[in-house]
Amino acid sequence: FRTDVRVVGDPDGMTITSPFVEEEFGSLGWFHKDIFSRWIVLGSHRKVSKQTKIPVTSIGTYIREAKETVKLNVFKRIKDDD
């Protein structure tokens, strides 16, 4: 699972490594964590769908939910640290 975050609009392509990302990923429920991990390893929604027998559209929804949850929680933690 990648923990580097690209800074938007940064011409040098600077990345920031955040332990918050790993921690928030770890706090996801087992199902979202499993689907997201399979997607990272396999590389596509279709491959995850084939392996799990879950429809491709549902896989996309679960991955999007996991990404949004991690992102929102990381932003909350960064804001709280300020």
Side-chain angles (χ1 to χ4, degrees), residues 11-75:
D12 298 325
M14 181 180 138
T15 57
I16 300 171
T17 302
S18 172
F20 294 155
V21 175
E22 280 188 46
E23 291 170 15
E24 292 303 329
F25 176 75
S27 70
L28 287 174
W30 69 268
F31 182 76
H32 281 88
K33 194 184 311 181
D34 182 64
I35 296 296
F36 194 81
S37 296
R38 288 175 193 253
W39 175 63
I40 294 294
V41 171
L42 297 174
S44 76
H45 295 180
R46 191 174 310 270
K47 289 179 183 176
V48 176
S49 174
K50 187 174 181 179
Q51 189 179 69
T52 61
K53 308 292 190 251
I54 298 172
V56 175
T57 54
S58 296
I59 294 296
T61 299
Y62 301 140
I63 291 168
R64 186 173 52 257
E65 289 171 353
K67 288 165 76 174
E68 288 174 0
T69 299
V70 170
K71 184 168 83 172
L72 287 173
N73 290 340
V74 166
F75 285 147

Side-chain angles (χ1 to χ4, degrees), residues 6-15:
R6 183 165 297 284
V7 177
V8 177
D10 181 9
D12 298 325
M14 181 180 138
T15 57

